[in-house]
């Protein structure tokens, strides 16, 4: 969380920048979401999939995928005047999970992207954030040709804690992605407030 205050000349008032993670399984659309909503050219650390990677990367259902994130994606979006989000897209494969602990430091919350064709792929991300008490929303990326499920169906299938938001989205669409991020900020704000009140109660 970064706060910037106005200067002595009476310029722009305080600005707040919040750190958000975008997580989920391999090929679920994390890089696409960060790229779609970012108002700056996103930083990407993608590499071409190799034959060696075929032994460890499950590309079933995402056969057209040619690249993969090997460190992180980074982007920024201004939600409203004085509030910006710094987006950190995590790599999806098991062998890169050691990066998650570093990336999650100081994060307000996370978006867990889900693909209903490979719903089990987002279980590790859900478990990760639940165990570390990092607020998150599940955003179901509605791929063309995939069977449509309602938010309640997805919530039950993932056995989410009561109240954890599930939203349907199109990771390619900026407005859709922005709505997901707004839902996360609102939810994370409520959760952090509740935890603070509990700690002083």
């Amino acid at each position: 969380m970064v706060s910037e205050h106005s200067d002595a000349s009476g310029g722009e008032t305080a600005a707040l920048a919040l750190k958000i993670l975008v997580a989920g399984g391999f090929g679920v659309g994390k890089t696409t979401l960060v790229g779609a909503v970012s108002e700056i050219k996103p930083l990407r650390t993608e590499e071409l999939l190799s034959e060696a990677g075929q032994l460890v990367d499950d590309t079933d259902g995402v056969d057209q995928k040619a690249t993969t994130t090997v460190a992180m994606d980074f982007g920024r979006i201004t939600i409203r005047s004085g509030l910006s989000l710094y987006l950190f897209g995590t790599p999806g494969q098991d062998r890169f999970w050691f990066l998650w602990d570093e990336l999650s430091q100081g994060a307000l919350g996370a978006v867990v992207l889900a693909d209903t064709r490979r719903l089990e792929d987002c279980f590790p991300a859900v478990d990760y954030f639940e165990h570390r008490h990092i607020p998150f929303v599940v955003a179901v990326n509605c791929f063309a040709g995939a069977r449509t499920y309602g938010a309640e169906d997805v919530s039950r299938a993932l056995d989410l804690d009561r109240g954890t938001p599930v939203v349907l989205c199109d990771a390619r669409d900026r407005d859709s992605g922005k709505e997901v991020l707004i839902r996360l900020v609102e939810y994370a704000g409520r959760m952090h407030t509740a935890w603070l009140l509990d700690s002083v109660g």
Side-chain angles (χ1 to χ4, degrees), residues 34-104:
V34 172
V37 301
S38 181
E39 62 200 17
I40 62 172
K41 184 177 180 180
L43 167 69
R44 293 177 172 161
T45 56
E46 288 195 305
E47 295 291 340
L48 290 172
L49 291 173
S50 65
E51 289 185 18
Q54 292 176 359
L55 301 175
V56 290
D57 294 330
D58 180 11
T59 58
D60 186 37
V62 286
D63 302 354
Q64 302 303 312
K65 187 172 176 60
T67 60
T68 185
T69 299
V70 295
M72 68 173 185
D73 299 311
F74 174 78
R76 185 189 73 210
I77 179 175
T78 301
I79 296 295
R80 58 172 171 74
S81 178
L83 176 60
S84 297
L85 304 182
Y86 290 159
L87 308 176
F88 292 80
T90 65
Q93 300 98 311
D94 302 11
R95 65 187 185 279
F96 296 124
W97 283 349
F98 68 92
L99 294 169
W100 287 35
D101 287 338
E102 191 71 29
L103 290 174
S104 65

Side-chain angles (χ1 to χ4, degrees), residues 126-200:
V126 168
D127 289 343
Y128 181 90
F129 297 121
E130 283 184 345
H131 288 127
R132 286 161 181 78
H133 303 289
I134 297 174
F136 67 95
V137 300
V138 173
V140 180
N141 194 7
C142 299
F143 287 89
R147 183 176 171 186
T148 303
Y149 293 89
E152 285 297 322
D153 295 326
V154 173
S155 182
R156 281 194 299 270
L158 293 176
D159 193 26
L160 297 177
D161 290 341
R162 185 174 180 180
T164 302
V166 176
V167 294
L168 306 182
C169 74
D170 181 343
R172 302 165 299 178
D173 182 77
R174 188 175 195 274
D175 289 338
S176 181
K178 187 174 179 179
E179 282 301 314
V180 170
L181 295 171
I182 290 171
R183 284 287 300 276
L184 170 62
V185 171
E186 292 173 346
Y187 175 65
R190 291 195 303 270
M191 294 299 293
H192 283 291
T193 299
W195 292 335
L196 180 61
L197 292 175
D198 284 345
S199 70
V200 299

